[in-house]
Amino acid sequence: MRYGHFDDEHREYVITRPDTPLPWINYLGTDAYFGIISNTAGGYSCYRDARLRRLTRYRYNGVPADSGGRYLYLRDNSSGEYWSPSWQPTQGDLDSYECRHGLSYTRISSTRHGVRAETLYFVPPGETLEVWRLRVRNERGEPADLSVFSSVEFCLWDAQDDATNFQRNYSTGEVEVDGGVIYHKTEYRERRDHFAYFACSEPLAGFDTQREEFLGAYRGWDRPLVVERGESANSVARGWAPHGSHHVRFLLAPGETREVIFLLGYWENPREAKFDPPGSAVLNKALVRPVIDRWLRPETVAEGFRRLRESWSSRLSVLQVKTPDEDTNRMVNIWNPYQCMVTFAMSRSVSLFESGISRGIGFRDSCQDLLGFVQLAPDRARARILDLAATQLASGGAYHQYQPLTKTGNDAVGSGFNDDPLWLVTGVAAYLKETGDETILDEPVPYADAADVRPPLYEHLERSLRYTLDRLGPHQLPLIGRADWNDCLNLNCFSAEPGQSFQTTENVAGGSAESVFIAGLFVLAAREFAMIAERRGQISEAACYRAEAEKMAGVVAEHGWDGAWFRRAYDHSGRAVGSASDDEGQIFIEPQGMCVMSGIGLHDGTAVRALDSVRERLATRHGIVLLQPAYTRYHLELGEISSYPPGYKENGSVFCHTNPWVMIAEAMAGRGDAAFGYYKRINPSAREQISDVHRCEPYVYAQMIAGPDAPACGEAKNSWLTGTAAWNLTAITQWILGIRAELDGLRVDPVLPAAWPGFIATRRFRGATYQISVRNPDRISGRVMHLEVDGRRIEGTLVPLAPSGAIVQVEAVVG
Ligand code: GLC
Ligand code: GLC
């Protein structure tokens, strides 16, 4: 069952009924000002940091989950009837409803009793404001006397305090209303230099800024007193809950349309020019007012929207493909890169599954996110890499998370997730391959705990590898620390009391548990680093790390191989985890994907054996589950993984992030049907038909899909902010379609499903455009035999770099 459809031409998903199984959201903003918006206009906004600079309020565990939002009410003044044109929060009957989620914008339209309303929500590129452009049209045969009421609830900036510190909050709220604009300025009188504003393009019939005056006591947003009455209270908030509402009233002739623009924005004044007059407590509006006036003009809004659309067209033109598979095309051309940009911007902070207050930018998460967006925004990738490297510690370890606004590491979580630093190497390698910009390696970057030393980035990479080599365990495998990629495999923390952190409770001496996964990742990272070192002429260093990679691969072969698959780890007491000798948790997906991706076992048959074991034991029709059999009881020595009921999250769900590793591994093994088969199982567009089972948005990946051990098998959760986005884009474009950036050229080495006759693609790479055509005349699921570049046959599959501006024709034949 579906709740809408794709409109590929406009790059939109069109939701045709408001009661989707869960709120289906979209993101506004691409630079610094961001928000989420659901298909019924729920959601909130923030500036750069969802915890420290929250503009509008969100109620945790609210029902429904998207309640609180960018709400508008229409009121028919002749009957007194009112409704929400976005359905929520009044949930009144609508004669028609449609929500179009596009790339960084959402348009919700509906009709009720001959009044059509269409609202476009977006953030203009480069601005720190969001536009709501409302168009109301009278489709009746007679004039309509209408009112529009807007409504937002302000957050008192620090979202954590806002949600908890009521004794203070109820007394600090302050606003000003001036020239029709509502200014929210809580704490501006003291240490904040920023404020929010909410403006409207039309003359106001009234306004409200005190929530309780707007809603009325004991009422919610579904029936605000002011709207019911048709008249604002012109309230000015002092303490309690600052709120913003405009009232606009107009008479529409039959067929007439009225456009009303609302702006919700963020502004920062220079500290020395905060007040007007100086020394008063009155906001200086001189700097922001021209911005407001400009954006209240319809032509500015139209132009801003055009620029937003264009910026996406240009970003997406980096890679466009035409394959025989519609689900592949729309994910690769539109939605998957879009999701990658969102995960880059938000890391794991803002969604309906991430509260925006608990996690900042994750080190390993962001390093992996780089893989999915480096080609879309190389400059921003560069800046992000340098920020991440600056949260590395002198030991080579890294803060697990940092706050985007302050860029300081989160002490509460600290470091000691021993895979973290290795991802920096893979992220930087991806950046170098895409851009060729080796200057980044010379950028001086401090360590978080030694700000006075600023070694070049290159040294950070080396130290990342050393960090692993300095921490080998009894089998010479890398020590796992608090956890590796699997945050829930906590082998050095025996948590027996509720409320203890599974990761950071320090109660086991020595921490001797080892990770086969990190071993695989080390081999991958060490080989990438060797390649980088070689480019810099560091020949002996390159050789050293190649040798270390070899050695580690040998250790994996000796201690990491279980007979038919790779083991996962050794626990604190030296017992193998992920072994046939156990009853539960016999096989884990992560080491199968990671070891094969790093090249281990590709030449001795173990890689293929491991992949066959994945197919036999882990593959389901909804994707590949993380482990089998799922843990049925809590294991003190394994930690959080066994805290989840079987089939959920790390305990045996289809943890989608890991599936592309297996797709890549299958492609490396030359098995295109298997790789693509796995790809289709979790491709959200391919699951659209079962939206009632899947329940999350059909246009983006979710972190997990419940596995067969769970009662709700096939149900997705944690949509949007997941490493799944970057890895799936990598798997399908770089390994199945086989188009991948390398230091010296563009690799074209597809491993296709046998049924495909071929595909075409356009790839912009280092200033040149490659028009690629792949044919598969014999319908095989194998590799390219030869390439022709501009009509000339070349050796191998690496298309050499072309001069900037060149258009290069690449013909590839499989078989
Ligand atoms: C979540 C975390 C990520 C971790 C994964 C597996 O996606 O954001 O860091 O690797 O879970 O536990
Ligand atoms: C929980 C989740 C895991 C996530 C972690 C982040 O352990 O199961 O997916 O990575 O929280 O702290």
Side-chain angles (χ1 to χ4, degrees):
M1 178 184 172
R2 305 191 307 176
Y3 295 82
H5 57 266
F6 285 91
D7 177 344
D8 293 335
E9 193 189 329
H10 294 101
R11 302 183 179 140
E12 292 170 335
Y13 191 79
V14 188
I15 300 167
T16 48
R17 47 187 287 184
D19 56 339
T20 45
L22 297 165
W24 284 0
I25 68 164
N26 192 15
Y27 286 75
L28 306 178
T30 53
D31 307 305
Y33 183 106
F34 292 100
I36 47 173
I37 182 163
S38 73
N39 56 311
T40 61
Y44 60 90
S45 297
C46 64
Y47 173 74
R48 286 186 52 207
D49 189 311
R51 178 158 98 203
L52 301 175
R53 292 285 159 86
R54 185 79 68 87
L55 267 87
T56 54
R57 189 168 266 171
Y58 180 67
R59 279 195 173 62
Y60 308 92
N61 291 315
V63 182
D66 66 335
S67 41
R70 299 171 182 82
Y71 292 143
L72 294 172
Y73 301 86
L74 282 172
R75 184 175 191 275
D76 185 339
N77 291 320
S78 50
S79 63
E81 183 187 70
Y82 64 91
W83 69 98
S84 310
S86 60
W87 192 62
Q88 279 276 65
T90 64
Q91 294 193 3
D93 290 337
L94 297 172
D95 301 325
S96 73
Y97 160 91
E98 185 185 88
C99 167
R100 289 180 171 260
H101 282 321
L103 304 185
S104 306
Y105 68 88
T106 286
R107 195 195 302 264
I108 302 176
S109 36
S110 65
T111 320
R112 169 148 158 155
H113 296 173
V115 177
R116 178 177 161 79
E118 178 193 294
T119 317
L120 171 69
Y121 298 91
F122 75 101
V123 177
E127 302 295 327
T128 61
L129 58 87
E130 62 185 69
V131 174
W132 315 356
R133 187 185 68 191
L134 168 70
R135 286 182 174 153
V136 186
R137 184 179 157 81
N138 178 9
E139 293 178 345
R140 299 175 182 168
E142 61 207 52
D145 175 3
L146 301 172
S147 279
V148 178
F149 292 87
S150 62
S151 165
V152 294
E153 189 185 18
F154 292 108
C155 177
L156 308 186
W157 299 114
D158 180 327
Q160 173 80 44
D161 290 352
D162 182 69
T164 48
N165 198 0
F166 307 130
Q167 60 80 26
R168 171 175 161 86
N169 299 345
Y170 289 165
S171 294
T172 55
E174 285 189 301
V175 298
E176 284 180 35
V177 183
D178 182 274
V181 181
I182 294 164
Y183 296 90
H184 170 234
K185 58 166 197 175
T186 298
E187 292 186 346
Y188 186 80
R189 60 165 58 246
E190 26 122 350
R191 293 154 300 171
R192 292 187 187 276
D193 307 329
H194 46 267
F195 57 87
Y197 57 87
F198 191 32
C200 170
S201 61
E202 296 298 290
L204 300 187
F207 63 86
D208 274 287
T209 68
Q210 186 87 66
R211 187 188 66 203
E212 255 45 71
E213 293 281 341
F214 178 73
L215 295 180
Y218 295 97
R219 288 175 178 237
W221 272 269
D222 55 333
R223 47 186 200 107
L225 187 62
V226 156
V227 179
E228 186 178 289
R229 181 168 79 196
E231 202 181 323
S232 297
N234 297 337
S235 58
V236 177
R238 295 207 168 71
W240 297 111
H243 177 264
S245 171
H246 310 96
H247 175 198
V248 177
R249 186 164 179 166
F250 44 77
L251 203 63
L252 285 187
E256 190 184 348
T257 300
R258 180 66 60 97
E259 181 168 302
V260 187
I261 296 163
F262 296 94
L263 303 178
L264 176 64
Y266 170 92
W267 192 261
E268 240 168 69
N269 270 340
R271 188 152 278 192
E272 60 291 352
K274 280 178 68 168
F275 301 105
D276 181 23
S280 74
V282 182
L283 263 184
N284 175 9
K285 307 171 188 80
L287 296 168
V288 71
R289 192 66 228 206
V291 175
I292 295 176
D293 290 340
R294 184 149 45 87
W295 283 100
L296 285 177
R297 286 201 292 272
E299 19 351 319
T300 318
V301 167
E303 166 64 14
F305 188 56
R306 197 187 54 72
R307 277 195 290 119
L308 177 70
R309 302 267 309 193
E310 266 182 24
S311 69
W312 273 111
S313 298
S314 122
R315 213 172 264 147
L316 296 182
S317 68
V318 167
L319 175 67
Q320 288 289 301
V321 304
K322 206 164 158 194
T323 77
D325 184 65
E326 189 182 44
D327 301 312
T328 302
N329 295 341
R330 74 166 59 106
M331 289 312 290
V332 168
N333 294 336
I334 306 169
W335 293 98
N336 199 347
Y338 179 55
Q339 186 179 2
C340 286
M341 283 306 291
V342 169
T343 52
F344 156 66
M346 300 280 106
S347 191
R348 305 296 174 268
S349 67
V350 179
S351 76
L352 290 183
F353 298 91
E354 300 284 3
S355 65
I357 50 180
S358 58
R359 296 205 256 172
I361 305 267
F363 193 93
R364 81 156 81 85
D365 292 342
S366 287
C367 286
Q368 291 170 84
D369 292 346
L370 279 168
L371 306 175
F373 80 86
V374 62
Q375 73 285 8
L376 301 166
D379 294 351
R380 296 172 75 177
R382 191 180 205 275
R384 175 61 62 81
I385 287 171
L386 297 176
D387 283 350
L388 285 163
T391 61
Q392 195 172 22
L393 304 164
S395 64
Y399 268 114
H400 196 50
Q401 295 158 5
Y402 71 92
Q403 265 330 110
L405 196 66
T406 58
K407 297 193 180 160
T408 52
N410 293 345
D411 284 316
V413 187
S415 68
F417 294 75
N418 283 353
D419 62 317
D420 272 340
L422 293 172
W423 295 109
L424 183 66
V425 181
T426 60
V428 172
Y431 173 80
L432 291 171
K433 291 177 190 172
E434 181 64 33
T435 63
D437 166 28
E438 291 173 31
T439 65
I440 193 174
L441 297 170
D442 296 315
E443 288 284 348
V445 186
Y447 291 111
D449 56 347
D452 45 327
V453 239
R454 296 168 64 86
L457 177 67
Y458 178 79
E459 267 180 47
H460 282 255
L461 304 185
E462 214 234 315
R463 211 166 272 212
S464 297
L465 296 169
R466 277 282 141 215
Y467 179 84
T468 302
L469 294 175
D470 290 346
R471 286 167 184 72
L472 299 178
H475 300 89
Q476 296 301 298
L477 286 162
L479 294 175
I480 198 168
R482 297 195 191 288
D484 62 18
W485 172 88
N486 190 330
D487 274 331
C488 299
L489 192 60
N490 315 119
L491 304 179
N492 292 314
C493 164
F494 290 7
S495 169
E497 298 299 327
Q500 285 177 336
S501 159
F502 288 110
Q503 282 96 20
T504 58
T505 305
E506 307 259 359
N507 59 0
V508 171
S512 60
E514 298 163 294
S515 164
V516 177
F517 175 84
I518 298 183
L521 178 59
F522 174 84
V523 173
L524 188 77
R527 289 188 173 146
E528 297 278 49
F529 180 76
M531 179 193 71
I532 296 169
E534 212 150 59
R535 294 286 286 211
R536 286 173 72 85
Q538 306 284 346
I539 306 300
S540 61
E541 203 156 70
C544 156
Y545 283 98
R546 283 223 171 81
E548 293 293 357
E550 277 307 306
K551 195 161 135 201
M552 188 68 82
V555 175
V556 170
E558 191 180 344
H559 298 291
W561 183 249
D562 197 63
W565 56 79
F566 295 101
R567 291 182 173 163
R568 180 63 179 84
Y570 285 91
D571 72 10
H572 191 68
S573 65
R575 261 171 51 92
V577 179
S579 163
S581 58
D582 263 340
D583 297 340
E584 298 180 340
Q586 291 178 336
I587 170 171
F588 283 64
I589 191 174
E590 306 100 300
Q592 323 313 325
M594 185 50 76
C595 291
V596 180
M597 281 203 297
S598 75
I600 298 174
L602 277 174
H603 301 295
D604 65 9
T606 50
V608 164
R609 184 71 197 90
L611 292 172
D612 288 344
S613 297
V614 168
R615 191 190 58 228
E616 288 153 18
R617 291 171 172 256
L618 299 178
T620 77
R621 72 191 172 91
H622 293 292
I624 313 166
V625 296
L626 192 141
L627 58 78
Q628 274 297 298
Y631 295 107
T632 51
R633 60 180 184 82
Y634 181 57
H635 290 260
L636 190 66
E637 75 289 3
L638 300 178
E640 186 171 2
I641 192 164
S642 58
S643 75
Y644 284 114
Y648 288 111
K649 294 281 282 181
E650 281 85 344
N651 190 17
S653 80
V654 176
F655 206 94
C656 296
H657 186 140
T658 60
N659 280 222
W661 296 342
V662 174
M663 297 168 204
I664 295 170
E666 287 286 6
M668 291 176 92
R671 307 200 293 190
D673 279 324
F676 189 70
Y678 291 140
Y679 174 74
K680 282 284 272 199
R681 294 182 210 191
I682 63 167
N683 177 315
S685 162
R687 298 174 61 78
E688 188 199 16
Q689 293 292 352
I690 53 161
S691 286
D692 47 333
V693 176
H694 184 80
R695 299 185 81 230
C696 280
E697 297 91 336
Y699 39 93
V700 289
Y701 288 96
Q703 181 203 57
M704 64 154 267
I705 298 171
D709 298 299
C713 174
E715 180 188 31
K717 281 184 191 143
N718 301 13
S719 55
W720 281 100
L721 303 183
T722 159
T724 311
W727 276 110
N728 265 296
L729 192 62
T730 304
I732 183 71
T733 62
Q734 300 187 26
W735 295 93
I736 298 175
L737 302 181
I739 303 172
R740 41 179 197 278
E742 292 194 3
L743 287 181
D744 298 308
L746 188 65
R747 181 76 63 189
V748 178
D749 185 16
V751 183
L752 301 181
W756 281 20
F759 70 94
I760 55 173
T762 306
R763 173 73 154 91
R764 281 199 287 111
F765 177 57
R766 306 228 200 138
T769 303
Y770 297 79
Q771 291 176 338
I772 302 164
S773 152
V774 176
R775 286 188 301 117
N776 184 16
D778 301 331
R779 304 292 157 92
I780 57 167
S781 148
R783 304 197 99 95
V784 164
M785 283 303 283
H786 66 264
L787 285 188
E788 279 184 10
V789 178
D790 286 333
R792 294 192 20 221
R793 191 123 169 195
I794 62 161
E795 281 300 311
T797 54
L798 188 67
V799 182
L801 290 176
S804 191
I807 297 183
V808 184
Q809 306 291 338
V810 182
E811 308 272 335
V813 179
V814 181

